[in-house]
Each structure stands twice: as structure tokens, then as C-alpha cells.
Amino acid sequence: MPAVRAEMRSVRRLAFGLAMGLCLSVSGVAAGVSAAAEPARKVIVDDDGFGLAQWMLLQAPGVDVLGIAVVSGDVWRDEGVAQALRGVEIAHRTDVPVLKGAVYPLLNSEKLTDRWEALYGKLVWKGAWMKQWVEPTAQGLLSYHAPDVVPDLPEGNPVTKASDESAVLFMIRKVHEFPGQVTIIATGPMTDLALAQRIDPSFAGLAKELVYMGGSLNPQQVRGDNAAAEFAREFANSPRREFNFRFDPEAASIVFRAPWKRIVSVPVDPSTATEVTPELLRRLAAANPAFADAVKRKQPGFPLWDEIAAAVWLDPKLITKSEELYVDVNSQFGAGYGDMLSWRPGYQPDMDEQKEVVVRSVDVPRLEQKIVDLLSRKLPPAKQVH
Amino acid sequence: MPAVRAEMRSVRRLAFGLAMGLCLSVSGVAAGVSAAAEPARKVIVDDDGFGLAQWMLLQAPGVDVLGIAVVSGDVWRDEGVAQALRGVEIAHRTDVPVLKGAVYPLLNSEKLTDRWEALYGKLVWKGAWMKQWVEPTAQGLLSYHAPDVVPDLPEGNPVTKASDESAVLFMIRKVHEFPGQVTIIATGPMTDLALAQRIDPSFAGLAKELVYMGGSLNPQQVRGDNAAAEFAREFANSPRREFNFRFDPEAASIVFRAPWKRIVSVPVDPSTATEVTPELLRRLAAANPAFADAVKRKQPGFPLWDEIAAAVWLDPKLITKSEELYVDVNSQFGAGYGDMLSWRPGYQPDMDEQKEVVVRSVDVPRLEQKIVDLLSRKLPPAKQVH
């Protein structure tokens, strides 16, 4: 465990003992943020894994990543935690705590998903529950295994450990510690956020904002290549279905009816103009030797998803089109289970759903350049791992 | 009542007395179809009103319109029947029977729709139940009235009467009379077809095919004008919702799980590239003085909907893009009530849903020309109305 992380943990314990409140965090200092005129922007990422988005935020100047929470989704939580630990190690940011979120969605389960598919048809992607593709697919399958199994990571296994604190309690504690200052960027299922909101009804209102990747309005296949055509399977016959919502629909509905000050939504729609091409991977590998090995192991063909959420939070000028819509999620166990529901103002049912800023498109060349630029930045010195 | 209609009625009574069967119809002769080498293509239209689509079919060479059925939807059935009677009078085709279909959908109702909206948000269009727009809209509202009220028609009230035979029984009788030869073109809610299928399980299998306008995959606003933007409200936040399905979801689901030999689907998607522009109305009015007065009363701005279904049946070469999808309708009373469900082959649940040919786009200039050409054709002599 790195020395800084041990120090951080004792600080967190103290803060927890003070019952969510007035203790001044040292995380900004620990993160090595330069003392600029602007105070560092505080953010917690909650994701079902670890990817370019987290590196972008860790590398961004003037940003204080308070913690990296991990929830089950694309992979089980424990595998995602390992990815996150390795990710912060590669970025020399073991000062940032990795926090364990929920292993299981609120109501949904693998067995329910089997029954649902028998009634309503096969899902294209099921994350941790995925055993096989319905039809031939270039994208590789992750290994199917039990929740507590952590396969060896291609980028190497981490040597550091996750925090002992629950991701849910950590997020509650941090919004109390920095009221109105913490952005939550949620790029996986929303189980942790729903739990936080039901544990502490003031959670959402104390955060600065929620920025999330999830949901789907009516995406169109933009790019002509085979990878784009394969990913279009996910929305062509289910334009309102997206994995993060579908894995835990009840959680997403709880979150969207919580009193956030502001919500920014990045649905699938803007992602269809993007792709992790071999060329983009080459540019990223060339940007910084520290990330090169891990970047070279990444599979091309995927759209950019979480990266858009991170990027538009860092630089809202990347957004080329957005609109304000009321949003909720269909939590009824039927054909539309997990579907994004949206309403133009005036049509919404007023069941506590919120008006969200929904990103419809982004400037793709600038987005790619943003990712390259952030990854190019010099890393802080590696922390000593004892 | 025109002499020909009186004659037709006695023929129909005789046929009905023979219990759906072997009686040779004279409708082909009555319709004045020329004796060509190709036998006339037999079709029954079932719609919630009357429009250009019916005129196209009545005017088409080599087509025998066996009957025009009317069901509630955009307007109550009785108002639609009046429109249809007036429509065949204008076309000098009072030889074609107009048949009364269902007044009410199977389960859905105005009261249920009010409760649904309270839970799930305002619908953009509710047909016969529509009292007001949610937001300012150029398109005029039809009058809200009781099911048995028939307002004066702008194009003049009909002097002829509808058949005494139920549209449902008429359709059953005709598919028995001409097994494998009758196309059903359904451009309104599917209540009549569902009733026919549950009265006679051999109904769908005895028809030649079902061609319908209804449902919605993921339409995009194509045209830039205000009318197109206003119609985009119907799908922008509900890409799978379309009025014909939504008015009677259970009926549509019954119909799509019936054993048709072939189903051709015209969802909203191809319609967004079309519009009844003032220019198109001018061309149609100039095409034939017989239709000019009624055409001039038509409101511009609407997409072409039913006209696409009629046109691609008359000339499949108008289809520029189609795909084969399994289709059903969400009949669960929830946020997705009435939504079109579709599956790429391999993903379908195999709950008796059928593979349909789904029209994705059409050749719009050729479609417009087709409508103009058909309306340009010389009408048969007007029948004497006693």
C-alpha cells in the first residue's frame, strides 16, 4: 500500500468519525493539484470498470479526483476494482482512493434477465452476465465467471488495494465535506448513487451536479465500418435501451427523481460518430510512454462513451448540440424494462423526474485531440509501493 | 342509394347466406376493371378515415377494391364512415362498399388514456380523444365529440349509406371467397383485424398478405421546415410510439402473432422524408378536376403515411430500403404501452411474432408522381344516386 494512501485512509476515518462534515480534506494537496487562482474542481467517478475517461480526469489540470468508485456492470465489481487499481497505478495516482461499490443491482439479476429474454427477446449485451453473442461479432467477449473471481488483467495485476470504505458512504461523506462542490460522473449502472440517495436524502442536493453516460434517445449509425454496424445492433431495434440503465433500471429511476442541482446526460446518441480506431490508439500510445503499453492492449472498434462524459465535463465547448429534456427510466418488468424515458418540457408527468441537459452531438476531432492532449501530460512521480 | 350498390348488397346477402364461400363476386365487374391478362389484384382497405390512399387504390388499373372498412382512430368510426362514403362518391366509385368497423379499441379507452398520461406524460396525438395540443401547433384540431356524432364534412356530406354488413364479417367472408388472393391494407388501428382473427382463426392465413401503416422504429426529422419539426414531436422522445398501434395495442399484438402469409410494414420512418406540401396539393388539384375541390381543402404540412402503404403495394419498386424484422407490439400498460417491438432475426422471443418486410425509405419524387398519376386517371361515369 502506498504511503500516501495509508495517510489518506486515516484522514478518511477521522472524517467519518466527525459524522460527515467539517474536516478539511487533504486530497487536493495529495493529488498534487497546482495552487492556481481557480480552486480545483472536485469529482468522483463511479464506473463499472476503468478506462480512458478516468485517466483523462486524473491527468486534467485543475481537477481533484476525490475517489474512483466501482460498481458491477460490464464486469463484476471486484474485477472492475482490480482494473481501477491498476489504472491509478499506471497513472502514478495511487493517492486517489479506489472504492468498492455495489456487487448486485437493486432488483435485476442474471436469472431475471434469462426469464426476460425468454419473453422479450435476446439482449445484445449483458455485461457480467454475458456468455455468448447471439450472432458473430468481432468484439471479444469477456470471461464469464462468479462475482468474486478476478481474472488476471492483460495490463498486469495491481499491487495496491481498494479502500476499506464503501463507495456509497464515501460519496455521501464527500458531498457533506464539500457541499455544492462535488461533481459525480457516473459511467456505469447507478446502483451506488441510488443507495447513497436512499441512505441520505440530502445526497443529490449536496452534490454540485451529476454527469452521466447512459441511456439512449434514438441513435443512428453514423460511421460506415463493420465495428459501427455491429454496435448499431444495440440500438437499431431498441433505440431507448442502453446497458447502464438496463442493468439496474430501478437504481437509475431513483437517481433521476432525486433533487440534483443539475444533471448532464451523455446518452448513446453522440457516441455513434466516434470510434476508438487503430489510428486513435496509435496517437494515444505515442502521446505518453506511461500509458503506451496499456493503450496498445485496448481493442479498437468501440465507440467513445465514458470519454465523452469526462470530456464535456472538462470542456463543455465540445458539445455541438444539446437539449433540455425531462428524463426517467422505465422500471416496469416488461418489454421496455430499463428503457430511457424522455419528455420535451410540457409533456413530462411531474413524478419528480428532472430536467437534464442531454448531449446530442460533440465535436469529434476536438474530442479526440482532448483525449490525446490529456494523456500527453507529464505524470507525477510514481509513489513508492511498500 | 345508387342502383349498383343496391345490386351489390343483394349479392352480398346471398354470399353471406352461403356461409362464406363459393359465391362468385361481381365486384370486379362492378368496379369496371378492364379484362386484362393479369387478374385484378384484390384489396380491402381498413382505415380510420379516408384519404389519398383510398383514391389511389380506387384509381389504380388492375386493382379490385373489394371494400373500404372504417375503424375508430384519428376520428370516431361514424365520422370516418361519412368521410369514406363521400370519398367514394367523389371518385364515382359508389359500387365499392363502405363497411363499419369497430367503434372502440379492445381494451384501451379515453379514461385509461387520461390515467396513462398522468403516470407517463402527455401524448402528442390521441385521435378521437384529442381535446387540445400540449404546445402551439400549426396543424388544426379536429372537433372533439361523442362517438355517434358526425360533424358536417368540409368536402360535403355523403348521400350514400354504409353497408349493413360488419367490416369484420365482410373481411372474413372475402378471404374465404378468394382464398390467398385478398390483400388487407390496414392504415388505422387494427381492432377490426384482431376481431376477425379471433372470430375466425383461419382469417390471416386465408388472406394473401397484410400491408399496414403503423409503428415506428427510430425516425429522424429529415425535412427542415416547421411542419416537419412539429410532426417530429411525435417520435423525437418516443421513437417506438405511433398512433395506430398506440390507440389499440392489444389488437395490433393479436394481428402480428396471427399466421399471415406475408406482412409488409410501413412505419413512420419512411414518412419523414415526405410532406403534403402546397406544391404537391397544387399538382394534385391540377391532375383531375374531379378531385380538385376536395384536394384544395386538404391541410398541407402532413407527412405522407397511408399513401406510402398504398403506393408500395401498387409498386414495390418505390421502396429504396427495407429489412426483415420480427415485429410485435408492447401491450403492457406502462410507459411503453403500444410501442413497436422489433427484433433482428435471431433475437426474437418466438412468441408467434412474424417476420415482416419493414419499409425504411422510399423514392419520394417517384412516390409523389405515382399519386399524381393515379389521381390523373379518368374516373368512371358517376353512378345515379336515387
Side-chain angles (χ1 to χ4, degrees):
Chain A
M1 177 185 293
V4 172
R5 281 187 55 76
E7 183 194 337
M8 284 291 295
R9 180 168 296 176
S10 64
V11 170
R12 281 200 309 276
R13 283 199 190 114
L14 176 62
F16 193 68
L18 288 171
M20 302 165 187
L22 305 166
C23 171
L24 194 69
S25 165
V26 298
S27 63
V29 178
V33 172
S34 61
E38 290 281 306
R41 299 169 72 196
K42 294 177 173 55
V43 65
I44 298 171
V45 192
D46 192 337
D47 186 28
D48 52 343
F50 186 99
L52 292 174
Q54 284 86 343
W55 278 341
M56 291 164 65
L57 294 165
L58 290 168
Q59 290 279 99
V63 169
D64 182 4
V65 181
L66 300 180
I68 290 178
V70 182
V71 66
S72 288
D74 280 341
V75 297
W76 288 111
R77 183 205 63 183
D78 286 353
E79 185 172 350
V81 164
Q83 291 174 4
L85 290 167
R86 184 63 188 138
V88 295
E89 288 174 7
I90 290 170
H92 296 183
R93 292 302 303 277
T94 50
D95 56 292
V96 176
V98 171
L99 302 119
K100 293 179 176 179
V103 177
Y104 299 105
L106 297 185
L107 266 77
N108 196 21
S109 71
E110 185 171 358
K111 284 185 181 173
L112 273 171
T113 300
D114 285 344
R115 307 298 196 274
W116 187 93
E117 287 186 305
L119 280 168
Y120 303 114
K122 294 282 181 208
L123 293 169
V124 175
W125 176 243
K126 294 186 281 184
W129 304 329
M130 193 78 182
K131 287 178 180 161
Q132 59 191 36
W133 298 113
V134 173
E135 56 191 321
T137 300
Q139 186 192 338
L141 262 194
L142 304 166
S143 73
Y144 175 83
H145 56 73
D148 58 350
V149 170
V150 178
D152 284 332
L153 303 183
E155 64 269 31
N157 294 326
V159 295
T160 51
K161 295 270 183 288
S163 168
D164 289 335
E165 188 178 11
S166 149
V168 175
L169 299 180
F170 174 83
M171 287 194 287
I172 293 172
R173 184 164 65 81
K174 286 296 169 187
V175 299
H176 280 271
E177 189 177 338
F178 305 111
Q181 297 173 61
V182 181
T183 294
I184 308 284
I185 300 186
T187 53
M190 296 201 183
T191 320
D192 293 342
L193 303 189
L195 291 169
Q197 184 61 24
R198 285 295 176 262
I199 287 171
D200 181 353
S202 67
F203 170 68
L206 281 171
K208 184 179 183 192
E209 63 192 341
L210 169 67
V211 178
Y212 71 89
M213 191 279 134
S216 176
L217 290 170
N218 30 9
Q220 300 289 306
Q221 185 187 330
V222 173
R223 299 176 61 94
D225 54 289
N226 186 55
E230 290 193 351
F231 278 100
R233 293 173 187 163
E234 293 193 14
F235 53 77
N237 288 287
S238 48
R240 289 298 170 129
R241 185 185 300 150
E242 179 278 331
F243 173 77
N244 288 344
F245 284 13
R246 181 61 183 72
F247 194 75
D248 195 342
E250 289 77 9
S253 186
I254 290 169
V255 169
F256 292 149
R257 290 178 291 115
W260 300 90
K261 291 194 179 72
R262 173 179 149 88
I263 304 179
V264 177
S265 165
V266 177
V268 169
D269 303 62
S271 78
T272 61
T274 70
E275 187 174 312
V276 181
T277 57
E279 164 63 14
L280 179 58
L281 287 178
R282 197 195 54 72
R283 287 170 66 197
L284 290 170
N288 196 327
F291 299 112
D293 181 64
V295 163
K296 284 173 187 164
R297 294 176 190 278
K298 284 192 184 291
Q299 199 183 352
F302 286 79
L304 294 166
W305 288 312
D306 306 351
E307 296 82 2
I308 300 178
V312 300
W313 179 70
L314 290 169
D315 182 5
K317 292 195 296 293
L318 292 172
I319 301 170
T320 50
K321 188 178 167 202
S322 68
E323 65 183 312
E324 289 197 325
L325 295 172
Y326 288 85
V327 175
D328 199 352
V329 175
N330 188 340
S331 59
Q332 190 186 33
F333 191 83
Y337 189 45
D339 278 6
M340 187 180 201
L341 306 175
S342 69
W343 301 270
R344 210 174 141 93
Y347 294 86
Q348 77 279 10
D350 289 329
M351 300 286 283
D352 294 330
E353 70 282 353
Q354 308 285 309
K355 202 190 278 182
E356 304 185 356
V357 176
V358 180
V359 176
R360 300 300 303 247
S361 64
V362 292
D363 183 330
V364 177
R366 279 187 63 187
L367 168 67
E368 292 186 349
Q369 192 56 49
K370 182 87 185 170
I371 304 171
V372 172
D373 289 347
L374 287 166
L375 263 61
S376 302
R377 292 178 65 87
K378 190 168 178 295
L379 269 55
K383 277 79 184 174
Q384 192 71 41
V385 176
H386 296 281
Chain B
M1 179 185 293
V4 173
R5 279 186 58 74
E7 181 193 342
M8 284 292 294
R9 180 168 295 177
S10 63
V11 170
R12 281 200 309 277
R13 281 199 192 116
L14 175 61
F16 192 67
L18 289 172
M20 302 166 185
L22 305 166
C23 171
L24 195 70
S25 165
V26 299
S27 63
V29 179
V33 172
S34 62
E38 289 283 304
R41 300 170 71 196
K42 293 177 173 56
V43 64
I44 298 171
V45 193
D46 192 337
D47 186 28
D48 52 342
F50 186 99
L52 292 174
Q54 284 85 345
W55 278 340
M56 291 164 65
L57 294 165
L58 290 169
Q59 291 278 100
V63 169
D64 182 5
V65 180
L66 301 180
I68 290 178
V70 181
V71 66
S72 288
D74 280 342
V75 297
W76 287 112
R77 183 205 64 184
D78 287 352
E79 186 172 351
V81 164
Q83 292 173 5
L85 290 168
R86 184 65 188 136
V88 294
E89 289 174 8
I90 290 170
H92 295 184
R93 290 302 302 277
T94 50
D95 55 293
V96 176
V98 171
L99 301 120
K100 293 180 176 179
V103 178
Y104 299 105
L106 297 185
L107 265 77
N108 196 21
S109 71
E110 184 170 359
K111 283 184 182 174
L112 273 171
T113 300
D114 285 347
R115 307 296 197 276
W116 188 94
E117 287 186 305
L119 280 168
Y120 302 113
K122 294 281 181 209
L123 293 169
V124 174
W125 176 243
K126 293 186 282 184
W129 305 329
M130 194 77 183
K131 287 179 181 161
Q132 60 191 37
W133 298 113
V134 174
E135 55 191 321
T137 299
Q139 186 193 339
L141 260 195
L142 305 166
S143 74
Y144 175 84
H145 56 74
D148 58 352
V149 170
V150 178
D152 284 333
L153 303 184
E155 63 270 31
N157 294 327
V159 294
T160 50
K161 294 270 184 286
S163 166
D164 289 336
E165 188 178 11
S166 149
V168 175
L169 299 180
F170 174 84
M171 288 193 287
I172 293 172
R173 184 165 63 82
K174 286 296 169 187
V175 298
H176 279 271
E177 189 176 339
F178 304 111
Q181 298 173 60
V182 180
T183 295
I184 309 283
I185 300 186
T187 54
M190 297 203 182
T191 320
D192 293 341
L193 303 189
L195 291 169
Q197 183 61 25
R198 285 295 176 262
I199 287 172
D200 181 353
S202 67
F203 170 68
L206 281 171
K208 183 179 183 193
E209 62 191 339
L210 168 67
V211 178
Y212 71 88
M213 191 280 134
S216 175
L217 290 170
N218 29 11
Q220 301 288 307
Q221 186 188 330
V222 173
R223 299 177 62 94
D225 54 288
N226 186 55
E230 289 192 350
F231 278 100
R233 292 173 188 163
E234 293 193 13
F235 53 78
N237 289 287
S238 48
R240 288 297 169 130
R241 184 185 302 150
E242 179 279 331
F243 173 76
N244 288 345
F245 285 12
R246 181 61 184 72
F247 194 76
D248 195 342
E250 289 78 9
S253 185
I254 289 170
V255 169
F256 292 147
R257 290 178 291 115
W260 300 91
K261 290 194 181 71
R262 174 179 147 90
I263 304 179
V264 178
S265 165
V266 177
V268 169
D269 303 62
S271 78
T272 61
T274 70
E275 188 172 312
V276 181
T277 57
E279 165 63 14
L280 179 58
L281 286 178
R282 196 195 56 70
R283 287 171 66 198
L284 291 170
N288 197 328
F291 299 112
D293 181 64
V295 163
K296 283 174 187 162
R297 293 177 191 279
K298 286 193 181 290
Q299 200 183 353
F302 285 79
L304 294 166
W305 288 311
D306 306 351
E307 296 81 4
I308 300 177
V312 300
W313 180 70
L314 290 169
D315 181 6
K317 291 194 297 292
L318 292 172
I319 301 170
T320 51
K321 189 179 167 200
S322 68
E323 65 182 313
E324 289 197 324
L325 295 173
Y326 288 84
V327 174
D328 199 353
V329 175
N330 188 341
S331 59
Q332 189 186 34
F333 190 83
Y337 189 45
D339 279 6
M340 187 180 202
L341 306 176
S342 69
W343 301 270
R344 210 175 142 92
Y347 294 87
Q348 78 279 9
D350 289 329
M351 301 285 282
D352 295 328
E353 69 282 354
Q354 308 285 310
K355 202 189 276 183
E356 305 185 354
V357 176
V358 181
V359 176
R360 300 300 303 248
S361 64
V362 291
D363 183 329
V364 178
R366 279 186 62 187
L367 168 67
E368 292 185 350
Q369 192 58 49
K370 182 88 185 169
I371 305 172
V372 172
D373 289 346
L374 287 167
L375 263 62
S376 301
R377 292 177 66 87
K378 189 167 178 293
L379 267 56
K383 279 78 184 174
Q384 192 70 41
V385 175
H386 295 280

